[in-house]
Amino acid sequence: MSDEPVETVNVESWPEEGDSSPLSTQSTDKATKRLHLYLISDATGETLSSVAKAAMSQFPDVAALLHVSFMVRTRAQIERALDMAVSTGGIILYTLVNADLRLVMDEGSLSRHVPAINVLDPVIQNLAAYLGMPARAMPGRQHALDAEYFRRIEAMNFTLAHDDGQNPQGLYEADVILLGVSRTSKTPTAVYLANRGIKTANIPVVPGCPLPPELFEVTSPLVVGLTTSPDRLIQVRRHRLLLLGQNAATDYVDMEAIGKELTEARRLFVKHGWPVIDVSRRSIEETSAAILNLYYDRLNLM
């Protein structure tokens, strides 16, 4: 990679996976304080961006003005970033697996009195000490096209093919099966789990419609029931109808009908011993984390 200048941007959201465009957590018009945050990595910067985003979310009144340099390969790139940090002030967060580049960063930050934090070193050093072996020091190794990568692709393909009750004959191949009435976040949760390599099918529980017989025949998949509060469900469904331009005067958004629908679904879950997760106040990530806990606990018992 050529010695290009450190990229500097100030906009209103963070980069997604694989995106090298740095983004800030807060509009500068609303923030009470601004922070120049330098992200430097000898890989794609995905790990570093995630850590920085999680950390800055704890400071909602601070606008992070991000300066990023990813796929760093030379001393000159690091020294340029250090010089910029001196001129603007701020903090450097970095993930440099290469020992020579780390030394340049450590010595340069000390001599320039710039605070610099290696976000991976404590984890890697403790793992190496516990395992009694050195780390490989290979930047971007987590992005290798290994078996785990292809497992995630396979899980995503499976999940999309088994969305909303499709292809019930393939349920026996699932790792997880999600059940729930309409608008209980089944599909986004299934997609999130698929991105973690979990083959996930989801089936809607609809009043008067029988569930596929295959659901009651499978033994390997973890079956989880998703539920929510009537107030939350009616709010979500009304918004859905509004977006579709449809009439809201139906049982779909009737409080009494919704209460009965949720009660019957919960009875079904309890009858078959399926764990139930209330998604009323959970994000997709929190719901998925709860499901993953159940999934891995179950694997440990098998």
Side-chain angles (χ1 to χ4, degrees):
M1 180 176 177
S2 61
D3 292 349
E4 297 179 356
V6 176
E7 183 179 2
T8 304
V9 181
N10 173 34
V11 286
E12 294 187 357
S13 60
W14 285 75
E16 298 298 331
E17 179 176 344
D19 185 355
S20 61
S21 302
L23 311 169
S24 81
T25 59
Q26 173 70 289
S27 168
T28 54
D29 294 333
K30 299 177 182 178
T32 60
K33 188 172 183 178
R34 301 200 311 176
L35 168 69
H36 287 275
L37 188 60
Y38 289 80
L39 307 184
I40 302 172
S41 174
D42 52 6
T44 64
E46 177 191 345
T47 300
L48 188 57
S49 296
S50 296
V51 171
K53 180 179 180 181
M56 288 307 303
S57 70
Q58 303 301 313
F59 303 93
D61 295 327
V62 177
L65 306 180
L66 301 191
H67 310 262
V68 308
S69 187
F70 297 155
M71 303 301 293
V72 168
R73 292 292 182 267
T74 68
R75 167 188 289 267
Q77 289 173 296
I78 293 177
E79 291 183 340
R80 185 176 293 113
L82 286 165
D83 289 340
M84 284 189 64
V86 170
S87 65
T88 63
I91 294 177
I92 293 175
L93 300 182
Y94 67 95
T95 54
L96 296 172
V97 178
N98 182 280
D100 294 333
L101 294 179
R102 271 206 317 275
L103 184 61
V104 174
M105 174 63 74
D106 293 342
E107 292 180 345
S109 60
L110 284 173
S111 64
R112 292 171 174 83
H113 305 289
V114 175
I117 303 169
N118 187 334
V119 302
L120 283 183
D121 253 11
V123 178
I124 293 175
Q125 288 173 2
N126 279 280
L127 281 173
Y130 182 82
L131 295 171
M133 62 177 66
R136 291 282 185 89
M138 296 175 62
R141 187 171 175 83
Q142 71 271 34
H143 300 294
L145 298 183
D146 55 11
E148 176 64 21
Y149 171 83
F150 290 106
R151 188 169 74 92
R152 294 208 318 269
I153 296 299
E154 181 184 2
M156 187 63 72
N157 289 335
F158 177 91
T159 297
L160 295 177
H162 294 81
D163 180 44
D164 203 30
Q166 299 181 79
N167 302 310
Q169 67 277 8
L171 289 178
Y172 72 94
E173 296 180 30
D175 297 314
V176 172
I177 300 173
L178 303 179
L179 302 177
V181 302
S182 174
R183 316 315 298 176
T184 49
S185 303
K186 296 184 299 298
T187 294
T189 302
V191 171
Y192 186 95
L193 290 171
N195 198 44
R196 298 289 296 271
I198 306 297
K199 291 189 289 186
T200 310
N202 79 83
I203 302 173
V205 178
V206 181
C209 294
L211 292 168
E214 291 87 351
L215 173 65
F216 305 101
E217 297 170 359
V218 296
T219 56
S220 296
L222 169 68
V223 182
V224 178
L226 302 183
T227 190
T228 187
S229 67
D231 290 341
R232 175 62 178 161
L233 187 55
I234 199 170
Q235 178 186 11
V236 172
R237 287 185 175 183
R238 281 176 176 168
H239 182 66
R240 172 70 171 171
L241 291 179
L242 181 65
L243 290 177
L244 295 175
Q246 296 182 1
N247 181 14
T250 68
D251 283 350
Y252 187 67
V253 289
D254 177 76
M255 180 60 79
E256 183 177 349
I258 283 178
K260 182 179 179 182
E261 190 177 349
L262 288 169
T263 299
E264 290 180 353
R266 183 177 281 275
R267 284 175 179 166
L268 172 72
F269 304 153
V270 172
K271 175 183 177 181
H272 293 278
W274 296 327
V276 181
I277 296 176
D278 190 330
V279 303
S280 302
R281 292 179 173 81
R282 293 179 190 257
S283 65
I284 300 302
E285 293 84 357
E286 290 170 330
T287 299
S288 299
I291 293 169
L292 286 171
N293 285 339
L294 292 170
Y295 175 73
Y296 288 116
D297 284 347
R298 188 168 183 267
L299 281 185
N300 291 335
L301 293 175
M302 294 177 69

